[in-house]
Amino acid sequence: MRSSTTIKQYMKDAWPILIVLNLSILGCLGIGLKFYTPPVRVPIVLLLVCCFTLFINFSAFVLFLTERILPKEQEFGKIIKRFRRGDSRMQNYVLPLDYVDENYEIRGRCMTYNPIGGDFYNFLKDKEGNYWMGIGDTSGHGYVAGLFSLMIMNQMSHLIHKFETPHEIIDQMLEHLEERTNTYPHIHRSLYATFLLMKADEKGNFYHSGIHPSLVLYKSKEDKTYVVSTDGKFLSTVMNSPLKKPKLSQSFKMDRDDILFCFTDGLFEQKNRSIGGYYGENLYKFLETAPKKNIRKLIDDLFFDVVKHTGGRIQDDMSLMVIRKF
């Protein structure tokens, strides 16, 4: 952030404190001069007072920069307001709208650290009626990470009509990324994404591939949650070991009223600065105990709980995709 923007924000947010602070100094000065008997000349006293005033105002500005002058409730209120009105360009213009048919209910939510972020999710159907769902997290923040994510989403939308398994599509994405990087050498090879690609049929048979945080599967009949591990490759030209053997797509089954939770690492790595604890354990407890009849409300409640945990200061993009089997 530029210095001028920071100062404007400081004046906008802290002006009541500045007025009280400087009026208090002027009041003390007036009272002091009224009863002052000069062992030191008045101009020197005024110079010392000016220096003291500058020091106090500079200290207040430093406290503002370290986020100590504004109450946590104010910062929390700002992020909640942004969350409720959906102020996220990735969410509004790029990511797919919620989808419901006779077989599945698929809903997603993303909150980015910047208006354009590296988190993304995607879901669509192929010509044979199979459901394809992907969720990923590109390294970094801002428009570069957002463009990398858009490239992956575009490739996914194209390749699901040409290949049958998730691991084949990820291999094709890696080939495309290598070709593009060779064509445009200025693309940073350090840029990468974790990406999970899933394919499901009408009966609830899922196949998946890709390196990504584990999934949480709620089994309705057992009223119990299970962790589903993932394995595969990074979407990167440098992070996959050449000695690693190819991994075929893994599988699991969803039955009627089962719910699958897919999330990026930003969701459970959000940190509370006061107590120094990550949200991680709370996420799994929340998914186990939260009412699951209304998925949209569940997602809203979860994001509210995460933002509350951080005191309104999220440190990374966070995304959640929830799938219910009918």
Side-chain angles (χ1 to χ4, degrees):
M1 184 181 290
R2 295 179 179 177
S3 299
S4 59
T5 305
T6 305
I7 294 172
K8 288 179 181 178
Q9 190 65 37
Y10 170 60
M11 298 296 292
K12 178 181 178 181
D13 293 341
W15 65 267
I17 298 175
L18 290 176
I19 291 176
V20 172
L21 183 67
N22 287 280
L23 286 178
S24 299
I25 294 174
L26 290 175
C28 292
L29 175 62
I31 295 172
L33 289 177
K34 185 176 181 180
F35 299 100
Y36 178 70
T37 53
V40 181
R41 294 187 346 183
V42 172
I44 297 178
V45 173
L46 292 176
L47 179 62
L48 292 174
V49 170
C50 289
C51 292
F52 177 74
T53 303
L54 288 173
F55 173 77
I56 292 297
N57 281 273
F58 178 76
S59 299
F61 183 65
V62 171
L63 288 173
F64 173 81
L65 293 180
T66 57
E67 300 179 346
R68 294 177 182 175
I69 195 171
L70 295 178
K72 294 181 179 179
E73 291 77 11
Q74 181 175 340
E75 294 299 319
F76 177 68
K78 287 181 180 179
I79 200 74
I80 287 297
K81 184 177 179 181
R82 174 187 166 219
F83 161 63
R84 285 177 173 163
R85 76 182 183 212
D87 183 16
S88 171
R89 296 175 194 176
M90 291 289 287
Q91 181 80 46
N92 295 342
Y93 297 107
V94 176
L95 302 177
L97 300 176
D98 293 344
Y99 178 87
V100 181
D101 68 3
E102 67 277 8
N103 296 309
Y104 293 97
E105 176 184 5
I106 309 173
R107 300 189 184 276
R109 175 63 60 85
C110 176
M111 180 180 283
T112 56
Y113 181 77
N114 294 322
I116 303 295
D119 273 18
F120 63 96
Y121 56 82
N122 197 16
F123 37 83
L124 58 160
K125 292 177 70 173
D126 63 20
K127 298 175 182 177
E128 285 72 37
N130 297 302
Y131 299 80
W132 291 84
M133 293 142 282
I135 183 168
D137 179 7
T138 298
S139 59
H141 304 286
Y143 79 94
V144 175
L147 290 173
F148 195 90
S149 299
L150 285 174
M151 179 183 68
I152 297 170
M153 294 177 65
N154 178 64
Q155 285 291 301
M156 174 183 168
S157 300
H158 169 66
L159 293 171
I160 64 164
H161 301 291
K162 300 182 66 176
F163 296 90
E164 295 185 358
T165 62
H167 70 270
E168 289 179 304
I169 291 178
I170 288 180
D171 286 340
Q172 290 297 314
M173 288 181 174
L174 288 170
E175 288 185 15
H176 173 79
L177 180 59
E178 183 67 41
E179 181 181 0
R180 183 171 289 275
T181 305
N182 291 334
T183 304
Y184 302 104
H186 62 278
I187 293 179
H188 296 293
R189 286 188 172 269
S190 59
L191 200 63
Y192 72 94
T194 60
F195 178 59
L196 176 71
L197 181 61
M198 298 179 289
K199 176 184 178 181
D201 60 20
E202 297 178 356
K203 298 180 180 180
N205 297 303
F206 274 70
Y207 302 90
H208 62 96
S209 181
I211 291 181
H212 199 69
S214 298
L215 313 175
V216 174
L217 176 60
Y218 170 73
K219 302 295 289 185
S220 178
K221 290 183 179 180
E222 305 173 38
D223 192 24
K224 188 176 180 180
T225 57
Y226 294 88
V227 175
V228 179
S229 60
T230 65
D231 196 9
K233 298 178 181 178
F234 290 101
L235 291 185
S236 167
T237 59
V238 297
M239 292 190 65
N240 296 305
S241 171
L243 301 178
K244 185 176 182 179
K245 296 180 180 180
K247 288 282 187 178
L248 299 179
S249 299
Q250 299 174 293
S251 63
F252 61 89
K253 178 74 182 295
M254 287 186 69
D255 299 312
R256 183 179 178 84
D257 292 327
D258 289 352
I259 303 175
L260 183 68
F261 299 94
C262 318
F263 40 81
T264 58
D265 59 4
L267 199 62
F268 55 82
E269 289 183 353
Q270 298 296 339
K271 190 175 183 180
N272 185 304
R273 296 185 181 181
S274 299
I275 63 177
Y278 291 96
Y279 188 72
E281 288 293 328
N282 297 328
L283 173 62
Y284 297 100
K285 292 178 182 177
F286 183 95
L287 296 179
E288 285 181 355
T289 59
K292 299 174 178 62
K293 185 176 182 179
N294 187 330
I295 289 182
R296 181 178 295 172
K297 185 177 186 305
L298 184 150
I299 294 174
D300 288 344
D301 290 346
L302 174 58
F303 271 62
F304 185 90
D305 198 53
V306 174
V307 173
K308 183 178 179 181
H309 174 82
T310 66
R313 299 182 179 96
I314 64 171
Q315 300 94 40
D316 193 8
D317 305 334
M318 53 184 187
S319 297
L320 175 68
M321 182 171 65
V322 184
I323 305 161
R324 185 202 299 272
K325 178 73 178 75
F326 290 139

